[in-house]
Amino acid sequence: MTSQSRTIVGRMQSGSWLLLTLLLFSPTLAQELPQAKLREDRIEFGKPLFLEATGLEPLTLYTLSLRGPGQDTVEESLMSDEDGQLGYTTTLNTAGVWVLTLTGVDFEANLGLTVIPLEGAALVEGEAPGLVPGQTPQADPTEPLSPAVSTNLDFKRSGRELIARSGETVAWTLTFPIGAGPAGPLLRVGEVLLAGQGNSVLWVDPSSGSVNRRDILPAAVTDLSVEGSATRATVTFERGLTETLTLGETGPMETVRFGPDPIPFTWLRGEAEGIDLHERTGRDPTNPWLAAGLAQNPELDQRSLIEQAINSAQTFYDLAGLARVAADLNEPELVDLAMDLALSDFASRGYDPRLLTDLELHERYAFPLKPLQESLARNDLQTASMWAEWLFRIASPEVSEARKALLEYAATLQAAGMRDEATRWRSRARGLDRPSLASGLDSIFLALGGIGWYAAAAILITFLALHLTLAFKYWIPQTVVLQRRKEAGRPANPLSRLLAIRFYSLMEKFVLTLLLLTCFCLALLASWADRSADLPASLRSGTLASATARLALARSQFPGPKTSFLKGYAAHTAGDFEVAETAYEQAGDFAPAVNNLAALTNSEALYQRALDLEPGLREARYNLGRITSPLPFQEAYRAGQPMLAAPTPNDLLVAWAGSWNGALAAGFTNPWSGLRDARPNWGSRTLWTAIVLLFLLTVASTLAWIVIPRPRLARNAPRSPLYHLLVVLIPGAGLADELWGTLLLIPWAVFGLDAISQLAGWNLGGGFEPNLNYLLLTAVYLINLVAVIVEFISYQRRMTELRRNDPDVAKAFGLSPISES
């Protein structure tokens, strides 16, 4: 390569470091992250909403979608101003739950809004089933219900009250606290008044106002209607998705599966707050939290009240919540009763604990992980033993926190001297080590991507530390070259010191390039793994058969065997067996899909085929009768049933974000787009774009220097004292020309950065055990010290030979030649 091309590459290298300095200290690039919010999330009917967004791209079009109860989505185009801000106001024409979605380039915000009906607003009565075939009553928020056939009462909503009037006389009222959720529609069906309240449909006696039945549905009830002889309830989820269910003689005819929105889980309990519990319990035996509230009074029969609450509870999350109430009242038998009923209901709805990987939902369901952790924190072994049994029953390899809690319980038993019991629990917890599906490299790369940004930062530190060390390694020969240039009358630029890479050996340049490529791959993997955090919570809720989960699966953009398997599993657990069979067949030779197809068709040959494809597939081995009790939940609540292979977190991620090898291939195909789209969750988009540009320039210039031979003067030159100090402080930096020095450099950066971050109280994402950090760093430094001593002895020998054999070069370096005498 010519000297001119060397100059161009050198300017690229020095310019890139200058650009980094400018970027890091430029306050204009510290833009705020984009966000959108509503001034209020509850407004009265007729009042305007106010939407505000900041941190957006300046002068850019955004789309605002508005969807109300039972209405089509309306879209409007809005433009941000020069400061990246946006404001919007309008008045909504319907009471109920609204969903607002603001979308733009690399940005989406979903906001929920409840429009509270005006005083006196109500909905019209529906005809009794069969009187007018096919008629569907329509809601009218301004008129009260028509007088009932058997009474002269009118019914209407007034704020948080349901009121029955006879003329000007109030016959009865039902008051719902603000925490009970939004007031829904009213519908008269025969001799029963149906009232939507939160996610419940109440079957009310029109003459007395007593609640005789309650149907708990997946989300807020936004419409009640009659179609022929069928009574239907429509619910609206937080993002505007609706689902219609048929209400039979004893409850919903469809299996009810809940969405991930946290608010509906609180509404039933909210009905029991701030009211007269004695009076309300007599009128509404369908709400278990009324009796549970009375049970807090020690002067009453607490046990009977908790039993009453458990017997009236309908959902697994209410039953599990009542188990906690029973535990607080020291009623372990009732805890066991409530938890057993809760998990039976969990299983009957098609849920599976292997899919409950969202810890927030785990707690929202009131499952035992948190109570066990809290009892262990206060060293309450009696309570911990109760919760440990129930946590073990829903534990799975996919939820590592459960295994950790059970191991901690075993350690606590060991410390208390209960060695046999500790050994038993340690064995049970370790039985959850292996995932139910062997995912091989997929699991490894998913775990690597989980710490990808942290590891990429550590590799970048390694790169900079090695550059610094090598710069001082070749400081003396570079000084000689600059001095000769000055003596030759050519100007010496002070920035020329940044071109020390010109003097590095081929192996040292190769190691630097390898570090940059490793950093690049880690960033791509981190971005890929980050998308697991973007997985809809409905896909981590314990079921894929819910309306929200199946909608999320329909939005997956990466077809393939795993996506077909997921859709087949969702249809299978929802009872759509024809759809499931087709999807499983489309998955081809993906072993979990073959196992589930065998369960669907009762084919022993397919079970064997699944086992041939994946010998470690425990579901297939269990279904063939070769092992017992693959999971405690299966043994307790699905005994005798074929065990379906459940999707792993990696399966979900592949369907949602593609595979790890696809992410790497896309990144290497187009490095600019691959890195630019792999933006971490900090800083502005402009800053990240500049960092990507700088990084790619550095990679390009480093690659260019590989083909440029270094000056002959650098091959056996003396090293500066600072270099000798750095190779001791930075393990492996002095061994980069032998490649294996990176085996010391990378662990030093990874574990050293984590140790420093823990001491400083930072949360950078390493999360290793402190003792492990110190142990490995000690080992790295000891190995490096031995290597440095050996290398220093060899270096001294080479310098002696240089002074003896090449006195002119030694003199140029400032070394005195060795006299032959």
Side-chain angles (χ1 to χ4, degrees), residues 681-715:
N681 297 320
W682 54 264
S684 69
R685 186 180 293 104
T686 305
L687 175 60
W688 178 248
T689 301
I691 290 175
V692 170
L693 177 62
L694 171 61
F695 179 82
L696 293 178
L697 284 173
T698 303
V699 172
S701 61
T702 304
L703 285 170
W705 279 112
I706 288 180
V707 299
I708 302 175
R710 63 173 177 170
R712 185 171 177 273
L713 195 65
R715 295 176 184 174

Side-chain angles (χ1 to χ4, degrees), residues 778-790:
T778 300
V780 164
Y781 271 103
L782 288 175
I783 294 172
N784 180 71
L785 183 61
V786 173
V788 166
I789 292 173
V790 172

Side-chain angles (χ1 to χ4, degrees), residues 480-615:
V480 172
V481 170
L482 292 175
Q483 183 64 34
R484 288 178 177 178
R485 178 179 297 178
K486 186 176 180 180
E487 292 172 353
R490 288 181 291 174
N493 192 334
L495 294 179
S496 297
R497 285 289 184 184
L498 297 177
L499 301 182
I501 190 173
R502 176 187 174 192
F503 294 81
Y504 300 174
S505 69
L506 179 63
M507 182 58 70
E508 289 166 343
K509 295 173 186 177
F510 176 76
V511 168
L512 287 170
T513 304
L514 186 63
L515 289 174
L516 289 174
L517 293 179
T518 302
C519 186
F520 175 69
C521 292
L522 287 169
L524 294 176
L525 286 175
S527 175
W528 172 72
D530 279 351
R531 296 174 200 171
S532 63
D534 297 331
L535 277 173
S538 57
L539 298 181
R540 297 175 282 128
S541 65
T543 180
L544 298 185
S546 65
T548 53
R550 297 188 74 175
L551 176 64
L553 284 177
R555 293 164 51 199
S556 61
Q557 301 176 357
F558 294 88
K562 292 188 176 182
T563 300
S564 297
F565 165 58
L566 292 177
K567 293 181 178 179
Y569 179 88
H572 194 163
T573 52
D576 298 337
F577 299 131
E578 291 184 5
V579 174
E581 185 173 357
T582 300
Y584 287 147
E585 290 173 347
Q586 290 174 347
D589 286 339
F590 186 51
V594 176
N595 173 83
N596 291 3
L597 182 59
L600 192 62
T601 59
N602 195 26
S603 170
E604 187 170 329
L606 284 176
Y607 283 134
Q608 185 59 53
R609 172 64 177 157
L611 201 57
D612 292 340
L613 291 168
E614 189 174 321

Side-chain angles (χ1 to χ4, degrees), residues 149-172:
V149 175
S150 59
T151 70
N152 61 346
L153 297 179
D154 294 332
F155 307 97
K156 67 177 181 179
R157 296 277 193 184
S158 179
R160 295 196 297 273
E161 290 186 331
L162 173 57
I163 303 175
R165 293 180 183 272
S166 177
E168 296 299 321
T169 303
V170 176
W172 53 262

